Amino acid sequence: MRAQFVASEVGNGLRRNLTMTLAVIITVAVSLTLFGVSLLVRAQVDTMKDFWYDKVEVSIFLCADGSDTSSCVGGEVTRAQRDQIRADLESLRPLVVEIYYESREEAFIRFQEQFANSPIVDSVGENALPESFRIKLSDPTQYDVVASAFSGRPGIEQVNDQRQVLDKFFRLLGGLQAVALIIAIVMLVVTVLLIVNTMRVAAFSRRRETSIMRLVGASNLYIQLPFLLEAAVSAGIGALLAVGGLILTKTIVIDQILAPSFQFTAFVGWEAVLAIAPLLLLVGIGLSAIAAFFTLRKYLRV
Amino acid sequence: MILFDNVTKVYPNQTRPALEDASLEIEKGEFVFLVGPSGSGKSTFLRLVLREERPTSGNVWVLGKDLMRLSNWKIPALRREIGTVFQDFRLLPNKTVFENVAFALEVIGKPKSHIRKVVPEVLEVVGLEGKEGRRPDELSGGEQQRVAIARAFVNRPKVLIADEPTGNLDPGTSVGIMKLLDRINRLGTTVIMSTHDAQIVDQMRRRVIELEHGHVVRDQSRGVYGYAR
Ligand SMILES: Nc1ncnc2c1ncn2[C@@H]1O[C@H](COP(=O)(O)OP(=O)(O)OP(=O)(O)O)[C@@H](O)[C@H]1O
Ligand SMILES: [Mg+2]
């Protein structure tokens, strides 16, 4: 096998079919980028789940002066009511792991810190935020136990499970990710078809050469290798571009645009990119191999 | 060297066999003409030798190999021992004479040094010295066929198959090609040549195998083109 001969055949083939080669490179790049981004979104959802599920609490908001819920008709929560609630929470251990009381002042300070860069800080008065008990559960799915014990009790305005809000949000992200993944898979199928067609055209435009090669006794490998390498090279370039797209998504979209604006949550790290990148290369080259296998079997027989 | 044993070939979706119950043997060093009307099965016979087609029934032996039982990956090795020449030359139009011949060696992995040595030698055998740098469209039909013969012979095959090699050439040029094939035969290569050219067959006086409707109707050493014509 003369490497130089094969290399020059591959180079000639790619140049001769330049428009088709470009089309393959671009579709591979776009579909794999989409595939990579959809995997990145999934990693992002997982990261946020890890980050938030650790922090989520059940909040029991206590009645303030102007609360208009029916359980608040007695006006602001009394000291006796507050002590009773705390005692009842203590009795729910070990389901309840942590109990933390947050006064109105503390709530306001925390709010100010959380939205330090945001204009809504100025629109919220010092007493606008209610006092509350913040509870951590050993098993966050057992939220109903707390809810049924405390909602509607005099002195309690509302029982609130952050996890439910988060889950809704994560389901939305998961849905978006699934849609992106489906589109990516459809595009990958289109990519395979395009590669098949490109190889068919390449095999046709070189049928003189290949028929002579067959007659003089060139081995199958020698006849097919240039086609295989052409497909692998263009798919490989496309996959590398997709890895580039993934890196840009991480550095620009995530690190420079999203992360500064949403400082309260965690974002995927480079390890996710590092895990996805080889997968993209593998899928890209694997696709071209599958396409090549079937095309060559059909069009370049001995 | 080449043995056909009750060989029948029916192409897919055809009812009439292209070759039927053909049995014959060709010895090493022979020069064989394959004659017969159009559609009588000459090209089919040659394709069976090359293992481009497989017989529907019967056995074909070439160079000691049973082609019915030859696995696909061994076909290239078989073809390296068989040179082929066609009526339409089958040269690569964008390659020079030298490159066309060298191509046959490159694609079977021969080293450059070997190619640089043997290509000029074979071009001299076929009488094309000095025309290495020309492209096929700068050559006459006879010269193009000489390039094709050089390509078929450069690997010193044991068998040379020529399917109507003079079919596109005028009589004068054909004589030159025949002299060349005769010379190659004298160098030890078995030559099997199909042809419609009665004059050539009658002049050469070599073995003649005549086919008609896929049947061997005549096999004659030192034969002529035909009785009836
Ligand atoms: N690939 C094929 N598929 C189906 N039928 C074929 C095929 N090749 C040849 N035939 C048929 O087989 C028969 C023999 O064809 P073949 O080409 O061997 O004839 P031939 O003697 O070489 O003719 P010619 O002198 O015109 O070249 C013909 O009837 C032809 O139509
Ligand atoms: Mg024919």
Side-chain angles (χ1 to χ4, degrees):
Chain A
M1 179 96 356
R2 298 238 323 272
Q4 196 196 341
F5 175 75
V6 174
S8 83
E9 281 289 293
V10 171
N12 284 340
L14 289 176
R15 243 173 295 129
R16 191 164 7 187
N17 258 326
L18 194 61
T19 48
M20 294 287 260
T21 306
L22 283 179
V24 168
I25 291 176
I26 291 167
T27 27
V28 169
V30 172
S31 55
L32 282 181
T33 303
L34 198 58
F35 183 60
V37 168
S38 82
L39 294 182
L40 206 60
V41 170
R42 182 157 60 205
Q44 172 63 28
V45 171
D46 288 343
T47 309
M48 289 202 290
K49 276 184 182 165
D50 281 351
F51 180 81
W52 284 106
Y53 281 174
D54 247 20
K55 296 187 173 47
V56 288
E57 307 155 325
V58 175
S59 307
I60 300 178
F61 292 106
L62 305 180
C63 292
D65 220 354
S67 305
D68 47 10
T69 322
S70 61
S71 56
C72 287
V73 287
E76 194 177 341
V77 63
T78 64
R79 195 194 168 110
Q81 282 174 330
R82 191 188 298 129
D83 288 346
Q84 185 56 46
I85 293 167
R86 186 192 291 274
D88 289 348
L89 280 172
E90 291 288 350
S91 73
L92 278 178
R93 287 186 194 271
L95 173 61
V96 170
V97 197
E98 266 177 43
I99 303 166
Y100 169 72
Y101 170 76
E102 188 179 66
S103 69
R104 264 197 294 240
E105 297 75 44
E106 285 166 340
F108 184 68
I109 291 167
R110 196 162 68 100
F111 177 81
Q112 274 187 320
E113 280 169 4
Q114 242 175 38
F115 294 94
N117 303 323
S118 167
I120 39 170
V121 172
D122 305 327
S123 64
V124 174
E126 208 165 314
N127 280 326
L129 300 167
E131 56 189 299
S132 61
F133 282 104
R134 309 259 157 170
I135 306 153
K136 268 224 157 79
L137 301 181
S138 59
D139 176 4
T141 58
Q142 298 269 351
Y143 160 74
D144 283 345
V145 177
V146 181
S148 63
F150 293 94
S151 347
R153 230 166 99 156
I156 292 178
E157 186 177 3
Q158 201 185 14
V159 181
N160 195 338
D161 183 13
Q162 290 177 337
R163 191 190 156 95
Q164 285 183 330
V165 182
L166 277 181
D167 276 348
K168 234 181 244 167
F169 176 63
F170 288 151
R171 264 199 300 279
L172 182 74
L173 275 184
L176 285 178
Q177 188 257 341
V179 170
L181 192 63
I182 289 169
I183 296 174
I185 288 171
V186 170
M187 286 199 54
L188 288 175
V189 171
V190 172
T191 306
V192 169
L193 297 181
L194 184 70
I195 295 176
V196 165
N197 243 321
T198 306
M199 295 192 75
R200 225 153 64 173
V201 170
F204 185 77
S205 71
R206 262 180 282 170
R207 64 195 184 287
R208 259 174 183 279
E209 278 90 340
T210 49
S211 76
I212 291 168
M213 286 168 104
R214 222 170 302 153
L215 276 175
V216 300
S219 65
N220 262 347
L221 187 67
Y222 228 105
I223 297 175
Q224 300 185 351
L225 199 65
F227 293 91
L228 282 174
L229 289 180
E230 264 171 59
V233 165
S234 40
I237 294 175
L240 283 177
L241 289 177
V243 170
L246 199 65
I247 290 172
L248 283 184
T249 307
K250 166 70 179 149
T251 50
I252 294 183
V253 180
I254 294 182
D255 290 352
Q256 286 178 27
I257 297 177
L258 292 178
S261 327
F262 300 94
Q263 285 174 348
F264 53 87
T265 187
F267 283 96
V268 278
W270 282 103
E271 72 284 346
V273 176
L274 222 60
I276 296 171
L279 190 67
L280 295 188
L281 291 174
L282 211 71
V283 170
I285 292 168
L287 281 183
S288 68
I290 293 171
F293 179 75
F294 287 107
T295 320
L296 293 180
R297 254 181 23 153
K298 196 157 171 218
Y299 291 93
L300 292 178
R301 272 175 309 199
V302 256
Chain B
M1 167 151 271
I2 293 173
L3 180 70
F4 273 55
D5 182 17
N6 293 312
V7 175
T8 297
K9 173 68 190 179
V10 187
Y11 285 105
N13 307 319
Q14 301 267 299
T15 46
R16 205 177 61 81
L19 202 64
E20 192 168 20
D21 213 16
S23 294
L24 56 87
E25 189 172 358
I26 296 170
E27 302 285 351
K28 183 168 164 26
E30 273 194 279
F31 194 117
V32 181
F33 284 116
L34 215 51
V35 303
S38 185
S40 57
K42 302 182 294 296
S43 297
T44 301
F45 179 94
L46 298 177
R47 277 204 289 272
L48 286 165
V49 174
L50 269 176
R51 180 55 173 77
E52 283 204 78
E53 297 288 347
R54 303 183 71 158
T56 312
S57 68
N59 271 313
V60 177
W61 291 74
V62 176
L63 298 168
K65 295 184 185 84
D66 180 355
L67 298 200
M68 278 303 263
R69 287 205 256 136
L70 191 73
S71 46
N72 278 345
W73 66 271
K74 284 185 177 161
I75 296 174
L78 171 78
R79 293 190 184 151
R80 284 176 201 194
E81 311 213 53
I82 306 175
T84 42
V85 176
F86 297 93
Q87 183 175 0
D88 57 1
F89 320 137
R90 302 204 185 167
L91 301 176
L92 296 172
N94 50 357
K95 286 192 191 295
T96 64
V97 168
F98 184 96
E99 288 164 349
N100 262 286
V101 178
F103 184 75
L105 295 170
E106 280 169 348
V107 300
I108 58 173
K110 294 279 191 219
K112 254 207 168 79
S113 54
H114 174 77
I115 293 173
R116 270 196 297 265
K117 182 170 157 294
V118 297
V119 174
E121 280 172 13
V122 80
L123 286 177
E124 201 189 319
V125 171
V126 301
L128 283 175
E129 58 276 64
K131 303 208 162 112
E132 296 83 354
R134 304 244 196 126
R135 287 177 199 281
D137 59 5
E138 299 163 347
L139 296 173
S140 72
E143 286 168 335
Q144 289 184 52
Q145 194 60 296
R146 283 169 194 269
V147 180
I149 292 170
R151 182 179 65 194
F153 188 60
V154 70
N155 214 18
R156 306 287 158 150
K158 299 198 173 78
V159 182
L160 185 81
I161 282 176
D163 196 354
E164 299 186 38
T166 59
N168 277 347
L169 306 175
D170 61 68
T173 314
S174 299
V175 170
I177 294 295
M178 284 319 297
K179 282 198 175 131
L180 178 55
L181 290 177
D182 187 44
R183 182 163 173 215
I184 283 173
N185 176 240
R186 286 175 202 281
L187 288 170
T189 296
T190 308
V191 177
I192 310 169
M193 163 175 166
S194 80
T195 185
H196 287 287
D197 193 329
Q199 216 182 336
I200 284 175
V201 179
D202 293 346
Q203 270 170 12
M204 296 276 291
R205 284 295 182 144
R206 298 301 189 97
R207 179 175 172 188
V208 174
I209 296 170
E210 183 173 347
L211 295 174
E212 212 176 296
H213 299 306
H215 292 272
V216 179
V217 295
R218 175 163 62 110
D219 187 346
Q220 194 178 24
S221 55
R222 303 186 63 76
V224 291
Y225 186 77
Y227 304 112
R229 272 159 274 251

